[in-house]
């Protein structure tokens, strides 16, 4: 899981770190806030074997927002076909972190890591306006409006680190939460080919394999 942010010592200004994002197929983003942001969670598992693993939760911001929960785990099996119709969603994404209250000095919560989806059928078809998702949750903003990091997806499995920003009057700095890492989507189908133009994210080629009886 992502680690919680901490408060730094009160010198000329104070620091409140954002929570780290949860890990899974990538690393969670670190929370913002100089040296006091929580570390993001580590990579767990591989595409070499199917493991129905939930995503790791994000860490809480320092006296701030809670971390987002990790995505769940789901396996679907059919002897004929799995079809995700237009407008349909199969979603095991991590939850977004909770924003810090706009008062005092508080860090944003880290996003949860994406979970696991496993689909096994001779035909897997995802129609054009449908989606199969296990993305990471977004990190949350801090009390000083520092942005949280984006969650992991196909283009980048890792979550982004949170930013840090100072209050204009006090110069106190608080960090946004780190983004959660993407999860994994395992697909076993004839020829390792998924039909249709719908969204699969994260789409990791090594996790799409032919059916082996």
């Amino acid at each position: 899981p992502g680690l919680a942010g901490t408060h730094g010592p009160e010198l000329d200004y104070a620091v409140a770190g954002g929570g780290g994002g949860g890990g899974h197929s990538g690393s969670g983003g670190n929370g913002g806030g100089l040296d006091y942001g929580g570390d993001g969670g580590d990579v767990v598992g591989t595409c070499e074997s199917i493991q129905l693993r939930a995503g790791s939760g994000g860490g809480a911001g320092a006296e701030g927002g809670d971390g987002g929960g990790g995505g769940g785990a789901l396996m679907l099996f059919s002897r004929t076909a799995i079809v995700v119709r237009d407008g349909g969603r199969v979603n095991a994404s991590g939850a977004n972190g909770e924003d810090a209250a706009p008062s005092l000095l508080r860090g944003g919560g880290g996003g949860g890591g994406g979970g696991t989806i496993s689909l096994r059928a001779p035909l897997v078809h995802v129609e054009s306006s449908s989606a199969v998702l296990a993305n990471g949750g977004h990190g949350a903003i801090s009390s000083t409006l520092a942005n949280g990091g984006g969650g992991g997806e196909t283009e980048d499995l890792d979550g982004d680190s949170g930013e840090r920003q100072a209050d204009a009057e006090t110069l106190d700095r608080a960090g946004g939460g780190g983004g959660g890492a993407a999860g994994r989507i395992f697909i076993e189908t004839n020829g390792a080919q998924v039909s249709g133009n719908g969204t699969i994210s994260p789409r990791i080629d090594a996790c799409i394999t032919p059916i082996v009886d």
Side-chain angles (χ1 to χ4, degrees), residues 12-14 165-173:
D12 295 331
Y13 53 82
Q165 184 165 315
D167 181 274
E169 294 182 1
T170 65
L171 296 183
D172 290 344
R173 290 164 168 78

Side-chain angles (χ1 to χ4, degrees), residues 11-206:
L11 302 172
D12 295 331
Y13 53 82
V15 179
H24 195 163
S25 68
S27 298
N30 294 331
L34 294 176
D35 295 327
Y36 302 100
D39 292 336
D42 294 330
V43 176
V44 290
T46 68
C47 287
E48 294 179 0
S49 62
I50 297 175
Q51 299 173 338
L52 287 180
R53 185 190 302 272
S56 297
E63 296 188 17
D66 290 333
L74 171 70
M75 175 179 280
L76 296 176
F77 170 83
S78 173
R79 294 180 182 275
T80 55
I82 294 173
V83 178
V84 185
R85 297 291 187 189
D86 277 339
R89 291 287 186 273
V90 181
N91 194 350
S93 296
N96 297 336
E98 181 182 34
D99 291 342
S103 62
L104 302 177
L105 190 63
R106 304 177 188 276
T116 302
I117 296 172
S118 176
L119 307 177
R120 178 184 169 97
L123 171 68
V124 175
H125 181 78
V126 183
E127 295 188 347
S128 58
S129 63
S130 59
V132 181
L133 305 172
N135 294 324
H138 289 260
I141 64 173
S142 73
S143 59
T144 56
L145 304 182
N147 290 322
E153 51 189 20
T154 296
E155 289 76 13
D156 186 355
L157 301 178
D158 296 332
D160 296 329
S161 294
E163 299 177 354
R164 59 183 173 84
Q165 184 165 315
D167 181 274
E169 294 182 1
T170 65
L171 296 183
D172 290 344
R173 290 164 168 78
R184 288 190 180 89
I185 298 173
F186 295 93
I187 300 177
E188 297 176 279
T189 187
N190 286 346
Q193 297 293 320
V194 180
S195 62
N197 296 317
T199 300
I200 298 173
S201 182
R203 187 168 187 138
I204 306 172
D205 290 343

